[in-house]
Amino acid sequence: MKYLQLLFFIVFGITNAQSTPINDSLKGASYLDLENKFYDYNYKGKSAEAGLIAEYYLHKAKREKNNPQIAEAYAYKCINANKENAFKYIDSMALVAKKISDNVYPARIYLLRANIFFKYDNQKQALDNYIIGLKYAKQKGNKRQIALAETNIAYLNSYVGKHAEAAKVLRYYLVNADYLNENEIEKIRTNLADTYIEINKMDSAKILITEGLQAFKKADPYKYHQYLSLLTFYNLKMGKFQAAAESSQKSKQFFLKDGDTRDITYSFFYVAQAYAGLQQKEKAAENFVKVDSIAKKDNYTFPEQREVYTYLIDYYKTKEDKQKQLYYIDRFLAIDKVLDSEYWYLSKELQRKYDTPKLLAEKQAIIQDLKIKKYLFYTLIGALILLLITAVILFFKARKAEKRHRKIAQDLIRAVEENKPAPYTIADTSSEEEDTDLTPTSFSNESKSPIGKPFELIEVTDTTESNNKLPKSLPQEATEPILEALKKFENKEQYLTKGITLGKLAKNINTNTSYLSEVINVYKEKNFTSYINDLRIDYTLNRLVHDKKFRSYKLPAIAEEIGYNSVQAFHMAFKKKTGTTPSIYIKEIEKQIIDKNN
């Protein structure tokens, strides 16, 4: 809790933090140099030197009529000014900011005012200005200012005892705000360690404290003693009062020389608590009296201040010192009234102005998310229903197709067994790729071989009809030798040869490809590829019925034996020729054999 206030003044540089050297060396210094030097002096407690830098910065900016830098200079000047002058500088900054068009103003004005109010112990006004600053920061989309506003509001949440809510915000920004500077991240870290102790996450607090002590032991005495003070608070919570007394005395000596009111007050407060835990009542009372003295002198209040007076009232009661008892009762009542007023206001306004709007925004986000999820859900359901309908249609189509294929296979088997012409033909044999369902029709004796005698060709005896079929480009004397050669080609089952082509066959029968192609087209009424495929499939249909061993082959082996390079080519040719598949055809043969045996 103590550390939620400890570094508030650091946030006065709500944008980039940097500055420069002094005296004659300031001439020619850039704004960045001046900024770096200002923060360096200010951090080291050299407020007079920092004030000179701020004054020169303002002079340089006005000379160059650089409005953004003029506004920046007023921000630097308000940091070390008293309350009245600080607000005057912020008002001057606000006038200049009206001429500036960026995403920093007006949020920065309200955040700076909030810091001043908090510095001078006015949490009510601080909260109001943080919330207004947060609103403008969100409107301008300034992530840095949003983070600063929300972390400072988190410190106020911790002030009224909402440590868990504060820890949640601080933990988020500690790991998700690389746009904050080192001091701002460090402020978050120390306050997070403090809230962890408040909510009894002691292991998490110890990790942060140990890391801080190791990092700053030599590099930065001020930050080191901040972590030493946190270690004191940790030890007090753990009941390690002797260790707390030792560490608190060290931090007290340091802050008496280099700390502000808050540092010094909490140093005495921790020393007093440690001695109280060690039952050294006189030393505890002595340090609690010092706490009250500092708080009264600087008009400073803090949440744990009630403990100071309850201890002193009890202590002086045992001493039977009525006058001091009465004095600390009055102090308790006055401070309690102030703390109650602040607590009531902060609790009420945090809920009304910050928590409720935030919850409403989260509610809207959740509602929108649910709408999207609902839309996606119904879309998914619709797609699944459509998919299911499609699957059902495809299933019934497949069942219907399978039934049709089985019927075709049964008719083909019967035709082979009865040595009759096949009952199906192909609608179009001109396309090698087409996979067309067949319709029942008788094979023409002029175009198809009987399934039972797949290799017999119908000899042409009517030369007049033959002559009529011949195109003018094909001499009659060349036709009969080609037909005779094709008859031998079929009877010897040479069509089963793998890789057979029109050219190879033409060469084997001593003719040219043109003549051979025209004879096949006219007399077989198909192109060469269909001619070979039909011969192979007729052969396969017949052999599968009569040859059990051949029927036991896997499809790739069957395809290989009848001249196909792949099982896919065989399957396509079979389906195109018959209207069913090799697998169904074989299954129906086996089924009929089983039925006959039964």
Side-chain angles (χ1 to χ4, degrees), residues 25 64 74 93 132 140 159 179 219 238 274 302 438 443 465:
S25 59
E64 296 176 1
Y74 283 126
M93 176 199 271
I132 296 171
K140 295 292 184 73
Y159 184 87
Y179 39 81
M238 296 294 288
F302 59 101
L438 302 181
F443 276 120
E465 184 181 354

Side-chain angles (χ1 to χ4, degrees), residues 20 22 37-46 49-50 53:
T20 167
I22 261 187
K37 198 65 178 176
F38 172 82
Y39 280 104
D40 185 50
Y41 280 130
N42 200 62
Y43 182 72
K44 291 177 180 177
K46 298 179 179 181
E49 290 89 339
I53 296 293

Side-chain angles (χ1 to χ4, degrees), residues 383-418:
L384 288 174
I385 291 172
L386 188 61
L387 203 61
L388 182 62
I389 292 171
T390 304
V392 169
I393 291 171
L394 290 175
F395 172 77
F396 282 108
K397 275 191 173 183
R399 287 285 299 273
K400 186 177 179 181
E402 182 184 7
K403 188 176 181 180
R404 186 173 65 252
H405 292 164
R406 288 175 56 197
K407 179 66 169 59
I408 293 170
Q410 292 164 5
D411 291 343
L412 286 169
I413 293 165
R414 188 162 50 252
V416 169
E417 289 176 338
E418 294 176 1

